[in-house]
Every structure is written in structure tokens, then in C-alpha cells.
Amino acid sequence: MFRIGLALFLCLVVSAAFAADAVPVSTCAEIAAMPLLAEGETRPACVTGHIQSVSFSNVTYGRLSQFVIYAVTDATGGAFVRALPHMNYDVGDIVVMRGVVLRHAGSGNTLAPKTMSKIGHADVSSVKAKLRQVNDGVFNFRTVSVSGTVIDAFRDELDPRYVWILLCDGEAMTPLAFHDESSAPGDLVRLVNCQVSATGLCRDSAGGRRFIGSMVQPEDMDAIKVTRGPPADLFDVPRLDPQEPVRPTERRGLSGRVLAHWDEGRMFVLTKDGRAVEVWLRGDCALPAVGDAIRVSGFAEPTAFFVRLVQAVWRKTNEPDLPEPRPSNLNFRRMLTDDDGKQKINPDAHGAIIRLEGVVKNVSSLQSRRKFMYLDCQGVLIRTDVSALSDGELNDLEVGSRLAVTGLCLLEFDSGRPFSGSIRLKGLSLLVRTRDDIVVLQTPPWWTPARLTTVIGVLLAVILVIGIWNRALKVLSERRGRELMAEQLNRASAV
């Protein structure tokens, strides 16, 4: 009896498990709440949804070269549907989809219908949304209309088939991303500074940038309309005031003299009030020469310590009274320590002209994009950026030379520690502008460790050769002696 009861119990458990597996997913909320399925794992589904947008995927799966991608909603939320090419429906159609939920790389759990049938239609109209609402996911899986100023526009480095546009309305910044293989780089650059309106699907980001939050996905470039072109004069903007709080995307300007540049489009500009401001140029802008008097206009980007201008443009100016660069009163110790001699990097050193003395320890590969020379300054290794110098100007800077170097202090930061609201110092460099910034105080002694090692190696090689030669001579003489003795014995035997 016990065995019969146990068998019945196991049958009931197995039947319940199969019955639970057989219950299909019926709402978009269930798909969203479902844990990410394993590769090849599926769940049965029967969902009724309202089509909000239609797009196409050119990714090949087996013999299929294209899928239709639907964004659908119901009363509980939204989901993505990857349908076969023959399942053609329009935006606004209400459809019943029977199939399975499976995992799709880049989109998470996705409904893959085996059959779709239309049961009605309701027009879909776009919702006018603020960028802050888009970022908060208020209208996910809805068609939205947004507007703002284009801060940046570029082709995706991970997948060049896609274009990214950063849109700002003064309160928030939101990315637009969509498939576009026809726009030239110049077309994208010309969108910067324009005010535009865009209509597209509000959704969580996917693919390689899937963690940046919500975004808007227009159908194509035609869904983006320029409502106002760039200002007639990009340079007619308020002057950058370091004491004034600015939003991250407000355009500001300044006049000054170029102090130095580095890393393809980044430079320091010395303003009339003696401040060195960091400027990142727009991708299509050539670099001005060091010493040029220029007017700069760009978007203000605050950091924890200073404000820089990004996506900036420049033009030459004849403004009078622009200051000439002068060394600051900061020295090596004041840059890296406090008044008590304890280690502390002074953020005011950023952009300051500083003079250091040290011994050359290493010069980086001359084939790299940025060239560095490392100086030992009283036991502290300082990285000196010598990218502005030609290879020939670096030939006489030998390891072991004692140099006096004048340059601009560059503090480079990353995004900092997560959730702390701070930024983290990534590196400290001294930017050298010309070869005149480097003075050789003392050449290295002739007996450098490398040369001493070479000489010792040569002497050892000579001694080894002499030893081998002596050994060979000894073997040869012994052999000749034996041969002479054998000849004498043969003569004596013949007598």
C-alpha cells in the first residue's frame, strides 16, 4: 500500500509540474517580470497586444535573413515581438500572438509568435514628453514626441549601422538611436546646435549600451525635424564665469590664448583673467596653433573641480589685452603636498605653468599616439607629455639626463567611484609645448648601467674566445706531438 501511495503522489507531482509548465504567459507584465531565460529555453505564450511600432532586423538566424520587430502593449505593460517576415501588421493593429518567450541577445526575453491574428485596430498617437519623463521610463513602449537641442551626433563605434544623437532640453539629456547607413559624417555634425523635434519609440536601451537607461528610437532620420537651425553666430553666447553655476549643456564662450593641446582636439586656453580653461573641440575642428589668440564657444561641462567647454568651435580674434603665458608660483612641492609636507594634489594646479627638475627614467614608444617621458623628481615619478615634439627633437634626451622642464599641469579624471558623486584622479601629466620648454642641465655620465653592461659583456666574450682558442691550440699541439713521436718510432724500427 505504501508503494502504491508513493507512486500516486509522484504522479500527482509530475502532473502538476507539467500542468504548470503548460500554462502560457498571457500578459506583457509576465514577460517583463520573467527571469532571463537560458539559451534555448522557452516558455509558451498567448498574448493580446496593441502594436505601437514596427521595425526590421537584418540579423541572420539560420535560413531567415530578416525579422519583423513589433513593440506591443497591453493593460499591464509592453514587450518586444520578433515575428517572421510573412507576419505583416500595421501600427495600431490589435493582435493575438501565440508562440513562445525566448531569450534574444540585446533585447532580453522576447515573444516569438508562431501565429498572429488581427482582432481589431486603434490608432496610435504620439505622446508629447519631456526628456526627464523619457529618462524615468514613464512612457516606455509608447510612441513619444520630444524636442530639444542637439548636443552631439555620431555614428556608433560598436555598430556603424546605427546613429546616436544626444538631445538636451535644459533639464535633462536623452539619447536617440536608430538604424541609418546613409547619413554622412558631415550631415551628423551639422545637426549639432540645432533645435529639433523627434518622434519615436520610448524604450530601454539595448545592445552594447544596454545599461544607459531609457532612450527614444526614431524609425529613421526622417522622424527628426529641425525646428530651428544653429545660431547665426555661435560665438554670441554668455561668457564663461567660473563662479556661476551652469547646467551641463548650456553654451558658453571665452576669449584667450592657446597654451597647449593634447590627445587629438583637447587644449588649454588662457583667458583674460589669467585662468587656464580646458577645451574639447568638436570632431570636425582643426587645432589652432599654440600661442594663437582665439574666441571659443562650446557647451559647459562642470566637473567636481572646474568647468570645461566641450563640442567647442573656435575662430581667431584680434581682441587686445590677451595675456601672455607666465609660470605660476606653484612649485613641485606645492603641487603634490600640503603645508605640512603630506601628500595632497592641489586641484588649482590644473592648467598652471610649472617648472620641474628631474632625471629622465624612460621615454615611451615613439609610435604611440601620445608620447611620454618620465622624470624622477626627488623620488617622485612625473609623467611628461611630449606629444607636441617631433621624434628628432627627442633624440638627444637620453635616459639619465637631468632636465629642467616647463609645462602645463594636466589633471585627468575618470567618472569616479560608483554612487559616491565624486571623481577619481586618473593621472597627472606635464604638457610640454615646444622643445624650448626642455633644458638639459646635465648629460648622463658615459658609464651608464647600459654601457657598463655592454662593456662587461664584450670583455667576457673576448675572454671566452681566448679560452676557446688556447684550448684549441693545446689540443692541436698535443696531436702534433703524438704524430712526431710516432714518426720517430717508425724510423727507429726501420733502422
Side-chain angles (χ1 to χ4, degrees):
M1 292 294 294
F2 174 75
R3 292 181 179 178
I4 295 175
L6 180 61
L8 291 174
F9 174 75
L10 291 176
C11 289
L12 288 174
V13 171
V14 172
S15 299
F18 278 110
D21 285 344
V23 175
V25 175
S26 60
T27 66
C28 293
E30 291 179 73
I31 297 176
M34 187 182 300
L36 188 63
L37 298 176
E39 200 70 40
E41 184 181 6
T42 61
R43 293 285 188 275
C46 179
V47 178
T48 300
H50 187 198
I51 297 177
Q52 300 292 317
S53 74
V54 182
S55 58
F56 297 90
S57 170
N58 292 319
V59 179
T60 300
Y61 288 86
R63 292 176 297 174
L64 298 174
S65 60
Q66 192 178 68
F67 283 94
V68 184
I69 310 298
Y70 295 108
V72 301
T73 59
D74 61 11
T76 66
F80 284 106
V81 177
R82 295 178 62 82
L84 297 177
H86 66 274
M87 299 178 179
N88 295 320
Y89 295 92
D90 298 322
V91 172
D93 287 347
I94 301 172
V95 293
V96 177
M97 299 161 285
R98 293 179 175 84
V100 295
V101 178
L102 49 77
R103 176 178 180 175
H104 173 255
S107 298
N109 293 332
T110 305
L111 177 58
K114 296 179 180 178
T115 63
M116 292 180 67
S117 56
K118 178 179 175 180
I119 61 173
H121 182 89
D123 290 339
V124 172
S125 58
S126 63
V127 179
K128 191 170 183 178
K130 292 183 176 295
L131 298 185
R132 178 67 65 189
Q133 294 174 307
V134 172
N135 294 348
D136 292 341
V138 174
F139 297 112
N140 271 6
F141 291 99
R142 297 282 302 278
T143 300
V144 298
S145 176
V146 295
S147 59
T149 302
V150 177
I151 303 301
D152 198 2
F154 58 93
R155 190 162 294 283
D156 193 340
E157 298 91 350
L158 300 180
D159 188 347
R161 298 175 302 169
Y162 285 84
V163 163
W164 286 77
I165 295 175
L166 299 184
L167 197 64
C168 174
D169 62 3
E171 296 181 354
M173 186 164 58
T174 299
L176 314 181
F178 54 96
H179 184 272
D180 180 283
E181 299 186 59
S182 60
S183 296
D187 298 331
L188 301 178
V189 170
R190 281 189 286 272
L191 282 176
V192 177
N193 300 304
C194 293
Q195 290 190 10
V196 303
S197 64
T199 301
L201 179 70
C202 180
R203 56 166 296 178
D204 287 332
S205 60
R209 293 183 172 89
R210 59 188 177 274
F211 297 116
I212 64 174
S214 296
M215 52 173 276
V216 176
Q217 182 178 351
E219 185 176 349
D220 51 32
M221 187 65 82
D222 292 336
I224 301 174
K225 305 297 183 183
V226 176
T227 57
R228 193 172 75 181
D233 184 2
L234 286 177
F235 300 92
D236 185 17
V237 293
R239 184 179 65 89
L240 178 66
D241 184 348
Q243 306 303 324
E244 174 195 6
V246 293
R247 290 173 176 164
T249 52
E250 291 183 347
R251 184 170 281 279
R252 290 292 185 268
L254 58 86
S255 296
R257 197 174 298 278
V258 179
L259 288 177
H261 39 65
W262 76 98
D263 200 20
E264 297 184 356
R266 302 182 182 185
M267 62 182 180
F268 277 117
V269 177
L270 181 65
T271 62
K272 288 184 176 181
D273 55 3
R275 293 179 297 112
V277 178
E278 187 175 333
V279 176
W280 294 9
L281 293 177
R282 203 169 67 185
D284 60 333
C285 283
L287 277 171
V290 172
D292 281 353
I294 63 172
R295 172 76 175 164
V296 179
S297 173
F299 293 102
E301 183 179 71
T303 70
F305 301 111
F306 53 84
V307 178
R308 60 186 166 215
L309 295 181
V310 300
Q311 287 293 313
V313 294
W314 65 274
R315 69 185 181 192
K316 286 192 174 183
T317 181
N318 295 321
E319 292 188 36
D321 304 326
L322 290 180
E324 295 292 337
R326 295 179 181 178
S328 71
N329 57 2
L330 283 174
N331 55 32
F332 170 72
R333 285 301 174 191
R334 289 188 60 190
M335 184 175 70
L336 298 178
T337 60
D338 60 13
D339 295 336
D340 298 327
K342 296 181 179 179
Q343 180 178 348
K344 180 182 178 181
I345 295 179
N346 185 352
D348 293 335
H350 186 67
I353 299 177
I354 298 173
R355 184 179 185 275
L356 300 178
E357 292 187 12
V359 177
V360 179
K361 289 298 182 182
N362 184 32
V363 179
S364 67
S365 171
L366 301 185
Q367 280 72 39
S368 60
R369 187 180 64 178
R370 293 181 69 182
K371 296 177 285 191
F372 295 104
M373 178 176 64
Y374 293 86
L375 295 179
D376 183 351
C377 301
Q378 303 177 31
V380 179
L381 202 62
I382 300 295
R383 187 174 66 174
T384 305
D385 190 324
V386 292
S387 304
L389 307 184
S390 65
D391 296 347
E393 292 174 313
L394 297 173
N395 287 339
D396 62 333
L397 303 180
E398 300 181 73
V399 173
S401 300
R402 184 168 187 82
L403 308 177
V405 180
T406 303
L408 277 82
C409 179
L410 172 65
L411 302 180
E412 298 181 85
F413 301 95
D414 63 14
S415 56
R417 295 173 175 82
F419 316 115
S420 68
S422 67
I423 60 176
R424 184 176 183 178
L425 181 65
K426 185 169 64 174
L428 182 151
S429 302
L430 200 66
L431 295 176
V432 172
R433 297 161 294 177
T434 67
R435 181 61 176 81
D436 295 335
D437 286 338
I438 301 177
V439 178
V440 179
L441 302 177
Q442 183 181 352
T443 57
W446 196 91
W447 283 108
T448 61
R451 288 174 177 165
L452 183 60
T453 302
T454 301
V455 171
I456 292 175
V458 171
L459 291 176
L460 290 175
V462 170
I463 292 173
L464 180 62
V465 170
I466 292 175
I468 294 174
W469 179 251
N470 287 338
R471 178 61 181 169
L473 289 177
K474 183 176 180 181
V475 171
L476 183 62
S477 63
E478 289 177 352
R479 182 188 304 163
R480 185 58 181 162
R482 289 194 295 270
E483 291 175 353
L484 290 174
M485 183 176 291
E487 290 179 2
Q488 291 177 357
L489 290 175
N490 290 334
R491 291 174 184 171
S493 300
V495 174

